[in-house]
Amino acid sequence: MMTNLPLTMSLAKALLIVTCVILNFTLCVTSLPAEIERGWRRAVHVLEDDTGAVIVQTAPGKVVTHRGGSITLPCRYHHEPESTDPSRVRIKWTKVTDALQFVDVFVALGRQWRVFGPYRDRVSLEGAGPGDASLVIHNVTLADYGRYECEVTNDMEDDTGFVNLDLEGVVFPYYPRVGRYKLNYQQAEDACKQQDAILASHSQLHKAWLEGLDWCNAGWLEDGSVQYPISNPRDECGRKDMPAGVRNYGYRHKEDERYDAFCFTSNLNGRVYFLKRFKKVNYAEALKACVRDGAAVARVGQLYAAWRLQLLDRCEAGWLADGSIRYPIVNPRARCGGAAPGVRHLGFPDKKFRLYGVYCFQKNKEEEQEKKEEWRGKKEGREEKEEKKEVKEGREVKEEKEEVKEVEEKKEVKEVKEEKEGREEKEVKEGREEKEEKEVKEEKEGRVVKEVKEVKKEVKEGREEKEVKEEKEEKEVKEGREVKEEKKEGKEKEGRVVKEETKTAMQKTLNNSSSLLNNTMVL
């Protein structure tokens, strides 16, 4: 037991250290949201592996701006060790969508850079010093909202950090003239765009619910889910005994299922106003009236933005671009649609026969021009700064080039010499190969000639043998024919001899008979 005591104490110490580390880590993790809520900005170190070759630091939580504004997405990096050539560092910014798709925004390698898609002429690196990869976005649009990835690559090592870009704005429910629950996902997305908005995210809808949004109809969100916010639970909106909150139907089929939409819009580059007229107008007359005033009929998203961000308050109903009748109330009062502030909606009346006022939207040309000039000035200043930097670097580069040139000349002489030796060696090798090839060819030709001669000899011998055989067969045939003729002639000769003998015998007999007859007659 005494021998195991030191080991037991070591294990206890190790367990205690691990427990402390876990507790400290837990405290850091649990305390982070509170710090973010208080607006503290702390660097997050994201390490790809244990070597720590590249370390990227980004701001936790999110950065907030509004449509039309400028914002910096912070990202800094450093190398361990600090001996990396800056011209070999690649910085890439991408936007991460809810569907986990990566959209290219900006990429830079040394002094070379490229901007992609709708971000052209609007983004650049802040370049505040060595290791600064922060991205500046000018004239922020609604589509810029979301999560961005900062990736820094040094040869084979890389590291990433994330920044969330949030927009100040307002969430509003929307359904078209055809009625409620008539939009699939794509139609809902298009409907929001037509009203100068985008589909809201879950975090935007949740924030709107915290600010008092209460809507009893479910609508599409950006991630393809269907939700609706309830601040005052009631039986007609999912039972009265259920707690308040954002009710979630989950992710629905984007083509087949139909709901309303929750849209999000932000700051306006212009103003919405109620057009004062002596008489009320129908929809077609409202369109013409705004055009004559150098404006256009306001969209639903523009009216909500003016109500929320510009505090537009008007207790007069008017036409909007989608054919609906609405009016904004910041300070509720009698005969202005209830006790809560908001944008009142009177539906979609007949465009031809119903008469109302009209809300118009006019772009702020001066502000737009100022932003263009500001962007142009910043661009020129950045170009001038880069030009000075390039001049300084140019001198260093020139000296380096001269050294490189001298080294390259020596290298070139060496390469020429090696090339000459290589060429001579190659020629010798080719000559040897040519000689060997010639010998092989001659040997092959000799073998072929020999084979041809042997074939000819065999053919000749075969022909001679055949001729001898034919002569022999012909001789045998001739001899057979002669033997046959001799036999025939012998037979014929024998026949003639037999015939002559027979004739002689018969003549002799006849003569004997005649002699006998004569003797008889004498007698």
Side-chain angles (χ1 to χ4, degrees):
M1 292 296 292
M2 293 297 292
T3 56
N4 293 332
L5 184 59
L7 178 61
T8 306
M9 291 178 68
S10 299
L11 290 173
K13 287 181 180 179
L15 182 60
L16 180 61
I17 291 170
V18 171
T19 306
C20 291
V21 170
I22 294 174
L23 287 173
N24 289 335
F25 179 77
T26 306
L27 289 172
C28 290
V29 171
T30 54
S31 63
L32 183 59
E35 293 168 0
I36 294 172
E37 289 295 330
R38 290 196 295 269
W40 294 4
R41 294 167 63 91
R42 300 181 64 187
V44 177
H45 296 260
V46 186
L47 296 183
E48 189 72 18
D49 51 31
D50 294 336
T51 62
V54 181
I55 299 178
V56 172
Q57 303 170 340
T58 55
K62 57 191 175 183
V63 292
V64 182
T65 185
H66 55 80
R67 178 167 56 177
S70 296
I71 190 68
T72 299
L73 306 185
C75 179
R76 297 190 62 83
Y77 67 92
H78 67 273
H79 302 89
E80 296 180 357
E82 298 283 353
S83 59
T84 304
D85 182 3
S87 64
R88 300 175 65 87
V89 175
R90 177 175 175 267
I91 299 171
K92 184 178 182 182
W93 280 91
T94 54
K95 184 181 179 184
V96 187
T97 66
D98 283 342
L100 293 180
Q101 295 177 342
F102 291 82
V103 180
D104 291 337
V105 176
F106 178 91
V107 64
L109 179 61
R111 290 193 295 271
Q112 304 295 321
W113 52 270
R114 183 182 177 188
V115 184
F116 298 89
Y119 295 93
R120 287 195 182 101
D121 298 327
R122 295 197 300 117
V123 304
S124 63
L125 287 181
E126 188 174 40
D132 185 15
S134 302
L135 188 73
V136 181
I137 304 179
H138 299 278
N139 192 21
V140 174
T141 68
L142 293 175
D144 295 341
Y145 166 85
R147 184 176 176 85
Y148 289 81
E149 178 189 68
C150 174
E151 178 184 24
V152 180
T153 305
N154 173 25
D155 293 331
M156 298 301 292
E157 300 292 336
D158 66 89
D159 194 15
T160 58
F162 293 91
V163 182
N164 291 317
L165 172 59
D166 197 6
L167 297 178
E168 296 173 347
V170 57
V171 173
F172 62 94
Y174 185 79
Y175 62 90
R177 174 179 285 273
V178 293
R180 296 192 169 176
Y181 289 2
K182 300 292 184 181
L183 304 173
N184 62 22
Y185 179 83
Q186 186 62 52
Q187 291 168 341
E189 192 173 44
D190 293 341
C192 288
K193 288 180 181 178
Q194 290 170 7
Q195 302 310 317
D196 192 41
I198 58 173
L199 279 175
S201 66
H202 169 73
S203 61
Q204 289 169 340
L205 183 63
H206 184 264
K207 182 181 177 182
W209 169 74
L210 291 175
E211 294 171 352
L213 181 61
D214 183 276
W215 194 255
C216 198
N217 291 86
W220 291 103
L221 295 184
E222 178 192 23
D223 60 357
S225 65
V226 175
Q227 306 180 30
Y228 65 99
I230 294 297
S231 298
N232 302 310
R234 47 202 183 276
D235 290 336
E236 59 270 24
C237 296
R239 290 169 47 187
K240 188 176 182 179
D241 56 352
M242 291 182 66
V246 178
R247 310 285 167 80
N248 194 341
Y249 285 1
Y251 297 99
R252 315 305 297 179
H253 196 287
K254 290 186 176 182
E255 294 181 4
D256 295 342
E257 298 190 38
R258 283 167 167 71
Y259 300 93
D260 292 346
F262 284 101
C263 305
F264 173 83
T265 190
S266 184
N267 190 47
L268 295 171
N269 183 19
R271 68 186 184 96
V272 174
Y273 60 96
F274 184 81
L275 184 62
K276 296 181 180 180
R277 294 181 58 84
F278 295 107
K279 63 176 183 177
K280 295 182 179 181
V281 293
N282 62 22
Y283 182 76
E285 292 169 341
L287 293 176
K288 294 177 182 178
C290 286
V291 171
R292 282 196 298 267
D293 204 45
V297 176
R299 302 178 184 183
V300 176
Q302 291 168 342
L303 184 64
Y304 269 95
W307 163 73
R308 182 60 181 272
L309 304 174
Q310 298 178 356
L311 302 181
L312 180 62
D313 184 281
R314 189 84 184 192
C315 191
E316 293 185 69
W319 291 102
L320 293 184
D322 66 340
S324 64
I325 301 297
R326 307 174 193 250
Y327 60 98
I329 297 297
V330 175
N331 301 309
R333 48 200 180 273
R335 303 180 65 182
C336 287
V343 175
R344 314 291 192 237
H345 184 195
L346 302 184
F348 296 87
D350 186 282
K351 290 184 176 181
K352 187 175 181 180
F353 298 106
R354 299 301 298 271
L355 305 178
Y356 295 92
V358 59
Y359 285 92
C360 303
F361 172 73
Q362 191 172 49
K363 289 184 178 180
N364 189 347
K365 296 180 181 179
E366 293 179 0
E367 184 179 346
E368 190 173 350
Q369 187 65 27
E370 285 177 3
K371 285 182 180 178
K372 286 183 179 179
E373 290 177 358
E374 181 184 355
W375 163 247
R376 194 181 299 112
K378 287 184 178 179
K379 187 177 180 182
E380 290 173 356
R382 189 165 56 252
E383 289 175 352
E384 185 179 351
K385 187 177 178 182
E386 289 176 357
E387 198 173 312
K388 289 180 181 178
K389 187 178 178 182
E390 287 176 1
V391 169
K392 183 180 177 182
E393 291 174 350
R395 284 195 299 270
E396 297 173 355
V397 169
K398 188 177 180 181
E399 293 173 358
E400 289 177 2
K401 280 184 178 179
E402 289 175 355
E403 294 176 1
V404 170
K405 188 177 180 181
E406 186 179 349
V407 173
E408 286 179 351
E409 285 176 355
K410 291 180 181 178
K411 188 178 178 182
E412 190 175 349
V413 171
K414 187 178 178 182
E415 287 176 352
V416 168
K417 186 177 178 181
E418 290 176 352
E419 186 180 352
K420 186 178 179 181
E421 291 175 354
R423 190 163 54 245
E424 290 175 355
E425 186 180 347
K426 186 178 179 182
E427 288 174 357
V428 172
K429 187 178 179 181
E430 287 177 352
R432 189 165 55 249
E433 289 176 352
E434 187 177 350
K435 185 178 178 181
E436 291 175 357
E437 189 177 345
K438 188 176 179 181
E439 290 175 355
V440 170
K441 187 177 180 182
E442 289 175 355
E443 184 182 351
K444 188 176 179 182
E445 288 176 352
R447 193 163 54 247
V448 171
V449 170
K450 187 177 179 182
E451 290 176 355
V452 169
K453 284 182 179 178
E454 289 177 355
V455 171
K456 284 183 178 179
K457 185 178 179 183
E458 289 176 0
V459 170
K460 186 177 180 181
E461 289 175 354
R463 190 162 55 244
E464 289 176 354
E465 186 178 350
K466 187 177 180 183
E467 288 175 356
V468 171
K469 189 176 180 182
E470 287 177 353
E471 286 177 1
K472 186 178 180 181
E473 288 177 353
E474 188 176 351
K475 186 177 179 182
E476 289 176 355
V477 171
K478 188 176 180 182
E479 288 176 354
R481 192 163 53 246
E482 289 175 355
V483 171
K484 192 175 180 182
E485 288 177 356
E486 286 177 1
K487 285 182 179 181
K488 188 178 180 182
E489 287 177 0
K491 284 183 181 181
E492 287 178 355
K493 189 175 181 181
E494 288 175 2
R496 277 197 306 274
V497 170
V498 172
K499 191 176 179 181
E500 288 177 358
E501 288 178 355
T502 304
K503 187 176 178 182
T504 303
M506 285 180 68
Q507 187 69 35
K508 188 176 181 182
T509 303
L510 184 59
N511 289 336
N512 290 333
S513 298
S514 297
S515 297
L516 183 59
L517 183 57
N518 288 333
N519 290 334
T520 302
M521 287 180 65
V522 170
L523 292 175

